Amino acid sequence: MDVEALESLPASELHDRAVRYAVRHGDLGFLWELLKVIPAAEAASGHSRESAADLSRVSALLSDAMAAGEGELGEALKPVYIAYLAKHPDA
């Protein structure tokens, strides 16, 4: 799937596809990158309290990574999912 087609998909689908592919292929690098950018995405989507909490609790980050395709957070993370899925067209 090309970047243009990926950009037309909802954030929740991009999240599900990217995370499912990364888990299936053991791509811990992507999952770690996702965990690192979630606090900034939460801050950008107006959830600064969640951002501060995530920086101090790894368990919150892991939980967020599994559900980071919904709402404003999912929208803020769309570029991360698109970049990853564009590198892995079979995802």
Side-chain angles (χ1 to χ4, degrees), residues 47-62:
H47 299 100
S48 58
R49 277 199 275 190
E50 289 89 344
S51 176
D54 284 348
L55 289 171
S56 65
R57 294 185 357 245
V58 173
S59 63
L61 287 173
L62 292 172

Side-chain angles (χ1 to χ4, degrees), residues 5 14 20 43 45 48 61 82 90:
L14 292 167
R20 186 173 41 246
S45 64
S48 58
L61 287 173
I82 289 168
D90 58 327

Side-chain angles (χ1 to χ4, degrees), residues 2-71:
D2 65 14
V3 172
E4 201 170 300
L6 290 169
E7 288 175 346
S8 71
L9 297 175
S12 59
E13 185 173 342
L14 292 167
H15 165 268
D16 292 349
R17 290 177 69 167
V19 170
R20 186 173 41 246
Y21 183 88
V23 168
R24 191 171 52 237
H25 290 88
D27 190 348
L28 297 178
F30 172 75
L31 296 172
W32 182 247
E33 185 62 30
L34 181 59
L35 292 175
K36 291 191 313 187
V37 300
I38 285 174
E42 283 184 331
S45 64
H47 299 100
S48 58
R49 277 199 275 190
E50 289 89 344
S51 176
D54 284 348
L55 289 171
S56 65
R57 294 185 357 245
V58 173
S59 63
L61 287 173
L62 292 172
S63 175
D64 284 349
M66 298 314 291
E70 301 297 324

